[in-house]
Amino acid sequence: MTTFEELQAIFREVFDDPELVLRPEMTAQDIYGWDSLSNMTLMLAIELKFSLKITPQEQMHFRNIGDMAQYIEQWKGV
């Protein structure tokens, strides 16, 4: 499973939407229910899945889901 596919599974679970299809250019405005509280839940789920820590400062550099996936891949050394 690719990093992007793993991210999609996390997003589907956090946002309770089994039909959600992510695209790299998507942002919080594109996903119903993605607010500050759900963002905390999302980041925690990502950190647990990939065994990493994403600081708030690092999160501020994510312009979209593609940036998030790229960060994870760099962390994993892909």
Side-chain angles (χ1 to χ4, degrees), residues 8-61:
Q8 181 165 273
I10 293 168
F11 272 78
R12 286 178 174 181
E13 183 176 329
V14 168
F15 295 103
D16 194 28
D17 183 354
E19 302 300 317
L20 179 62
V21 177
L22 296 184
R23 293 182 318 278
E25 68 275 7
M26 292 175 84
T27 66
Q29 288 75 30
D30 298 312
I31 298 177
Y32 178 77
W34 191 350
D35 56 21
S36 58
L37 182 58
S38 62
N39 189 66
M40 290 175 25
T41 304
L42 177 65
M43 290 300 127
L44 179 60
I46 290 169
E47 290 175 343
L48 291 172
K49 172 67 178 177
F50 294 103
S51 300
L52 56 83
K53 177 69 178 154
I54 305 172
T55 67
Q57 293 79 15
E58 291 166 327
Q59 290 178 37
M60 291 175 57
H61 293 291

